[in-house]
Amino acid sequence: MEDKLTNQDYWNSGTKHAKIEISDNDPIKKWLKKYENNFTDIKNCIEIGCYPGRFLTIFGEMGAELSGIDYVENLEDVEKNLKGKGYKTGIFKKEDFTKFSPIKKYDCVMSFGLIEHFKDWRKVFQKHIDLVDEKGFIIIETPNFNGFMQRIPRKFFDRENYLRHNIYSMNLKKWEKLLRDNNFEIISSEYFGGYEIWFENQNLSKIEKIIKKVILRINSIIKNRFFSKPESKHFSSYLGIIAYRK
């Protein structure tokens, strides 16, 4: 049985331009920058599902050697663009990560929006863990489609995209257990990014657009009235974990 919830054609469709620039207001970048003092000893890192390479630039600025793996077309553009910015580069493999046989381990292994596209997400997570060198870091992030007030609008108005994601993978407690079982210390395990909803499906009928606005408005009222904290597993747009191998 095919384990992937997406196919190569889906990812190739969005790879015409590998733009590596990343805004300082990007929520994932802001999350990582909060913990950058922990990353001062990282000499090399690899991003799994690295296209277009914008998150690698964060570690390139710290002087780390950058590597990546992805099976999309135009992967060579990522390395070319990173080199063009003056960053040190290692290997860039055009390969299916589930079939990848690494020749080394890394100080930092990371992925952003990857593990949730697999039915057996634990196997993919463990493969990340196995790539981390002694005293190295692992960084995993996914969108929070499992949050109740995130899930409902998506199921109705972006269902095709919703079904490409394994929402049961989006669980910080499960991630923490996997990492602690593999002798990692948790540095950050949190929801972040505020309450925002984006849809891949833009072809809604007029009625659907009206209903969508009503649901999003109701969600916003519920959040503001009943939830005092800015971040929550029910509402936040992202979840992420950073851990250190002891």
Side-chain angles (χ1 to χ4, degrees):
M1 182 182 294
E2 177 61 55
D3 185 44
K4 300 183 185 71
L5 297 173
T6 58
N7 57 42
Q8 190 165 359
D9 288 341
Y10 171 75
W11 293 110
N12 283 341
S13 66
T15 60
K16 294 182 179 179
H17 303 288
K19 295 182 179 179
I20 64 173
E21 289 75 19
I22 183 169
S23 166
D24 288 340
N25 290 322
D26 182 278
I28 298 173
K29 181 176 182 178
K30 290 169 71 174
W31 171 60
L32 291 174
K33 294 293 280 186
K34 284 198 304 181
Y35 301 98
E36 65 179 343
N37 288 340
N38 293 277
F39 305 142
T40 54
D41 292 330
I42 291 176
K43 299 295 188 294
N44 57 69
C45 67
I46 186 168
E47 181 181 355
I48 316 305
C50 64
Y51 192 94
R54 59 183 179 271
F55 298 115
L56 283 170
T57 65
I58 298 170
F59 293 86
E61 292 291 340
M62 299 178 193
E65 179 186 85
L66 310 176
S67 296
I69 179 170
D70 209 317
Y71 72 168
V72 300
E73 295 175 353
N74 304 324
L75 178 61
E76 61 274 7
D77 291 345
V78 175
E79 184 176 10
K80 180 178 70 176
N81 289 344
L82 291 170
K83 282 183 175 179
K85 291 289 187 181
Y87 302 129
K88 292 184 289 187
T89 58
I91 63 164
F92 282 82
K93 296 280 289 184
K94 187 182 292 186
E95 190 173 342
D96 183 337
F97 178 59
T98 62
K99 301 174 183 177
F100 177 53
S101 297
I103 59 174
K104 62 178 289 186
K105 295 190 176 185
Y106 291 85
D107 293 342
C108 180
V109 177
M110 57 189 186
S111 70
F112 305 92
L114 177 88
I115 67 166
E116 75 276 15
H117 294 296
F118 295 86
K119 294 175 184 176
D120 190 357
W121 65 270
R122 287 182 176 85
K123 180 178 177 181
V124 179
F125 200 115
Q126 185 65 49
K127 198 169 178 70
H128 284 65
I129 289 172
D130 295 341
L131 268 174
V132 181
D133 207 347
E134 292 182 10
K135 299 183 179 180
F137 293 85
I138 188 169
I139 301 171
I140 303 284
E141 175 276 334
T142 72
N144 181 29
F145 285 18
N146 196 26
F148 183 73
M149 295 302 182
Q150 289 274 351
R151 188 193 317 172
I152 297 304
R154 296 181 192 284
K155 287 184 73 170
F156 285 99
F157 303 111
D158 203 21
R159 186 166 182 80
E160 185 177 354
N161 185 42
Y162 174 82
L163 293 175
R164 294 189 188 103
H165 296 76
N166 179 356
I167 65 168
Y168 301 106
S169 71
M170 303 170 183
N171 188 306
L172 290 176
K173 297 300 182 185
K174 293 177 182 178
W175 298 2
E176 290 171 12
K177 185 177 188 310
L178 275 171
L179 289 167
R180 290 193 173 110
D181 286 349
N182 283 271
N183 202 35
F184 278 78
E185 178 182 330
I186 309 300
I187 295 172
S188 163
S189 177
E190 60 189 291
Y191 294 90
F192 63 93
Y195 181 52
E196 293 188 16
I197 297 282
W198 65 93
F199 297 113
E200 193 167 283
N201 175 26
Q202 299 296 325
N203 299 316
L204 301 179
S205 68
K206 289 184 179 180
I207 296 296
E208 286 175 325
K209 289 178 180 178
I210 292 171
I211 295 173
K212 184 185 79 169
K213 286 182 180 179
V214 171
I215 290 178
L216 293 179
R217 179 59 178 160
I218 290 172
N219 280 357
S220 182
I221 291 171
I222 291 172
K223 179 184 184 302
N224 293 333
R225 182 165 297 180
F226 297 105
F227 292 84
S228 57
K229 295 183 178 180
E231 304 294 352
S232 160
K233 68 179 181 179
H234 304 292
F235 289 95
S236 294
S237 301
Y238 306 95
L239 62 155
I241 198 163
I242 302 170
Y244 173 77
R245 190 187 284 280
K246 298 178 184 178

